[in-house]
Every structure is written in structure tokens, then in C-alpha cells.
Amino acid sequence: MKRATLLVLLCIALGASYASAAIIGSTDPNAFNDYVDWCAQFNNCQNTPFSEPSPSAFTSQGAVTGLVGLVGTQQPFEVRQQGVSWNGNFPSNMGVLYNGVGTLNNTPTDMAATFDQGVYGAGAWIQAKNFGAFTATVTLFDSNYQPLGSYSAQGDAENNGMALFIGAYDSNPDVYAIQFNVKDINNVDDFAIGTLRLNTNGVPEPGTLMLLGPSALGLLGVVRRRMNRKSPEVQ
Amino acid sequence: MKLTKLIVIATVLLLACQLFAQTRVQKLAAQAEATGQLQKLMPTSAPHHVRSFLWIGGGFTPGQPPTKPANCNKTGFCPPSIAIAYGTPNVIGGNGGAGITIGITDAFHYAAAEADLNFFSTDMGLPACTKANGCFKQVDQNGGQNFCGSDSGWETETMLDLEWAHAMAPNAKIVLVEGCTNDDSDLNTAIQTAVKIEGANFVSNSWGEDEFPEETQEDAAYVGLGVPLLFASGDSGAPAIYPCQSVYATCVGGTQITLDANFHRTNEVGWAGSGGGCSLYEAAPTYQTSNGVTLCSPQRAAPDVAAIGGSLVYIYDSGNGGYGRVTGTSLATPVTTAVLANVEAARRSFGKADFPQIIGDQLYHPYKSFNTPGSNYTYFYYDVITGNNRHQAGPGYDLVTGLGVSYPVNMANRFFGLQ
């Protein structure tokens, strides 16, 4: 009995320590339950492209509020729409936010979104403006705007409808900002993001799931041993 | 009888001589001015007496027990009302200005400065700020302890500066550097000491004088100090005064603020007493002209920014009877200094550089896109659009409140804040 209890506690402890480790990157938009449709935020994408101030306010479908804009500059960003004013590989008609390097002569810079409440994670479809391979990186920040961790993935900027989705999440709703960076074939930060996805429900991490197995087995073992011990007494 | 007659004659002669001399000097000055020789008659090194910009609004009753005002926030604001209204406690990474040293210059010596500051802090629920805990330091204009005489008017100014800088940035260090007199040369020495010896990251200066032709030469005292120097714009409405008009200064005008029961701002208007206008002698700096403020071009426009400086606040000054109510751009200046201290602390927490002395580059940049669809001016400033100091306040930059009142939370934002 004592040994089994120790086993369970050990499993739980291992699971807990693993869950508090670094953020988990993801290229699966379905890992994020909430979203911000930029067309819904900005004039229904009427007469794109048009400029919006950095930062501009948004409200997600699930009522998370926040700001989006260019980082470290007070230049505006552009609102565009896939297939209408953006010739790229975002899903058809998706509203996209462009950092305006090629059109507004903006300084190449990252984009960021901040959240007025903590969420588990965030991500977005992303594409470099120049066709070709690119590396996208997302960094999550806590409530003090200190980095929680980063995640990078490779993309290929084409117009084939296969835009990269890149996001990351934590085990706690302690994510208050996400920053997007792209290094394109020219090593320039010239890109757009599509729909912003947020995780407000929490995502079971693969590692935690793996550890839940042994925990469950341990619990099962305890129950079985107790049943086995008690059985003779009944007789 | 004879003696009286003699005295009368002597007096008349003396007055006649004085009148002659005065007329002669005026005539010479007028001649010199006409021929461009005025500088020769007026040595540029002559000290100018400056005045503080403080309005007394009541209280200060000697003999009364020094208790916290029962009518706080009704007849005058008390901490933390203005901090909440301006949002300094919500600055992410601001931590009340921790790690930042605010320099405050004032004239003459006030021996009870530390005791009064801490009486006020205890009463108002602010952290202690003492010499013992390293928060407070008081030095003479050369950085030593050889203090000069006292002046009851300047001691009230001193306590306003100390108590409201501490109220707005409760974790910042404060160094009070006392000029021996209210000559501008002494106070300029105090500024140099605050920065070069005491390591102040900002210097708050609630004093000044009317503009004078040699002021651009006096600017030399401020060149190369490397940290923002904030000055009060004056309390007599237009025009603004000097050194506020110096291109090396950040000039702070005054507002009147209205708060709701939760200390949230419901309105803020330009104060009629707020100094402001086009400089007589200082040329427009590029941080104004390149960002779209050309109201006074080719001259400098003032103020740059504004804060509460026309609404009364309580201060504690034991030398003048305890609690009393004051206001003026003498209030706006330490308040704005402390607001920027919070912003700088946040910047440091994100690994960003400290503000430079010519903070105008940062402050005015958001105005560049004013009136364009991509403008984020109103993200950084509460635009004060009403009020008159002989100039009329209005949308955007004006000569009553400058760019407006800072939003420190937004100025400090890691991603979207000031550059």
C-alpha cells in the first residue's frame, strides 16, 4: 500500500514538473480554440489595403481584448485580404495584417499582439512577402512582458493556399503577449500574419498525457491490491 | 526748524540725483539697444533671480494638530488619487520607478525636508523615503552638506516637489539638491550636481524667469548632461518662461483634472495659468519641426507636455503650519518627472536604453502622423482640447498643454511604447 501510494505521488510529481517546463510550439491551428478575424476587426476588409495605427485594439470571438501592431516603431500596419489585396497562400479571403515594409516603406520589424487577460497560447497563419523559404518565430510573454519561450518553424511563401500556421502555448494561462518574427530569403523581416488564434481552454501537453498513463496505472494497481487484500476478509 | 529745512533740501537733492542717474541709465540703455550694444551694458554672467511656480490654495494653519486632511480628494487631491488617474501603478515593469533616481532642485535649505516627507508618506500610505533606507538624499548645490539660509516660500515649493514626486514614483530614489540662493547660476549648479555627482536620471525644476536675450548662452549650462531636465512653464498663462523654453529642457504645462469616485479621470482641461507660447529667443528644435509642430516656427513652442498643475493637492510642510493645498506648474513638473521615471524603469526591465536628455525626439514622434489614418498620437497622449491661457487649447499640439497629458502605461509598453 505505501509503496503504491509513493508510486502514484511520484508519477503526479513528475507530471507536474514536466507541465511547468518551457512552452510548446505548434503548427496546428486546431490546438487554439478562439480566434481574431482581422476583417471583422477592421472595416470588414472593405477597400483594402488601408493603414491602421500601431497598436490597434481587437476583440476575439471569445471576448479576449488586446492590441496588435508593429514592434518598436510607431509606423502603421496595413490591412489586406487574401486573394483581394494579398497574393499569397493564406486561406481564401482571410484578413491579413502586413508590416508594410514593401508598401509603406516601414522599417522591417516584428508584429505583436498583447492580451488584457492571460491565455494559454496564441498563434497565427504567417507568410513572408517575398516568395521562397522563410523562418518564422513566435515568442510568448508573461504578464510582466518577460519572455516565456520561443518556437520556430520553416515556411515556404507561395500562392498555393498552404500558409504556415505557427503558435505556441503554455500549461498555464500566463501568456499576455505574442511576438512574430520572420526571416525571409533576404534575411528581412517583411511579412504578414493571418487570423490570430488563441487558446483559452488549455491544451493537454503530450508529455503530461504520457505521464498520466503511469499515474493511472499506479492508481489502478493500488485499487487492485486493496481489493485483493480486502477480498479474503469478506470471505 | 533749520535742521528740518536742511533735511528736506537734502532729500529733494538726493531724489533729483537718483532720478537723473536712472534717466541717464535708461537713456544709455535705449541708445545701446538701438545700436545693438545692449550686451555690453548687461554682463551675461549676471545672475538672474528665478521664482518658483506655486499657488497656495489654503490650509497651512500654524498651531493646528498635524493630522491627515479629512477632506482629502474633496478640496484637494491626496495620494494615490493622481497616480491612479494617470495609471502609473499599472505600468508593466514600472515598479513605482524602482532603480530610478529623481533629482529635484530648489533654492535655499529646508532642514525638515526629510521629516516632512516621511510624515506625509506615513499619512498617505506611501513607502518610507528616508536617508537611512537609501531612498532620500539632501545635498547642497555642490553635493556637500554646506547648506545656505532658508526661505519659507521655497520650503513649501521643496515639499511639493518631494512629496508629489514620491507619490507618483514611490519606489524611486530622490535626491534634493539645494541651490544656495534663487539665482539661476546657483540652481544651474544644482542641476549639474544632481546629474554629475548624484547620478540623477531625471531632474525636476519647478522654477524659472522671464525670457531674456542671453538665454541661449545660458543654455550652455544644460548641454551634454545626458538626462532629461524638466522645467515648469510658469503660472501666469502665456508666455512661457525660461529655462522651460530652452531647447535642452522638457517644458511642462498645467491642467485641471476631474476624477470620479474611483479616481478615474472624467475630464482634464488646460489651466489658465499654464505658461505657454512661442519663445522670443530659442529657435524651433528639430524634434518639433520634424514631427509636425510648426506653430511657432522658426521659434520654439512651449510647453512640450502637461500634467495636473491647476487643481489643488495637499502637501505637508511643518515649517508653514502643516497641511496645506497648493498647485501650479510646480506640481505638474515633479508629477511628469515621476511619470517618466515609471516609464524608464519599465524600459530597463525590457532591456531598453534610458531616455536621452533630448527626450523631445521620443515625446514628439507619435505626433508625426497626427491627422492621418495611421496616427497613434492618442495612444500616447490624453489630448487636452479645452482651456485658454491667452492661447486656446485644441486638438493636437497647442500652446496651453503642448502634446497633452502622457499615458505612462502606453508610453512604457514593451512592444508599442516610446522608441
Side-chain angles (χ1 to χ4, degrees), chain A residues 188-206:
Chain A
V188 173
D189 208 1
D190 184 5
F191 70 103
I193 59 169
T195 297
L196 181 71
R197 306 280 315 225
L198 304 173
N199 186 311
T200 57
N201 289 339
V203 180
E205 298 169 24

Side-chain angles (χ1 to χ4, degrees), chain B residues 240-286:
Chain B
I241 43 83
Y242 183 83
C244 213
Q245 282 283 21
S246 168
V247 295
Y248 299 97
T250 301
C251 189
V252 185
T255 64
Q256 289 179 300
I257 194 168
T258 312
L259 307 183
D260 67 16
N262 297 317
F263 306 136
H264 296 146
R265 171 172 39 203
T266 55
N267 197 19
E268 193 158 6
V269 302
W271 180 45
S274 177
C278 302
S279 174
L280 297 173
Y281 307 107
E282 301 270 348
T286 54

Side-chain angles (χ1 to χ4, degrees), chain B residues 78-91 94-98 102 120 126-127 160-172 174 257 307-308 313 331-343 405-406 408:
Chain B
C78 294
S81 58
I82 302 302
I84 292 171
Y86 286 167
T88 47
N90 300 325
V91 171
N95 194 17
I102 295 174
F120 182 82
L126 298 168
L160 165 61
D161 295 343
L162 293 177
E163 288 165 0
W164 279 85
H166 185 50
M168 298 299 290
N171 295 327
I174 296 177
I257 194 168
I308 177 173
V313 298
L331 168 63
T333 306
V335 164
T336 302
T337 305
V339 162
L340 290 175
N342 282 274
V343 175
V405 182
S406 307

Side-chain angles (χ1 to χ4, degrees), chain A residues 53-54 70 72 74 145-146 179, chain B residues 349 365-366 375-376 414-416:
Chain A
S54 285
L70 308 185
Q74 288 153 26
Y145 289 165
Q146 298 301 322
Q179 185 165 337
Chain B
S349 79
H365 196 267
S375 173
N376 53 9
R414 175 180 186 132
F415 308 98
F416 312 126

Side-chain angles (χ1 to χ4, degrees), chain B residues 107 230 275 301:
Chain B
L230 290 92

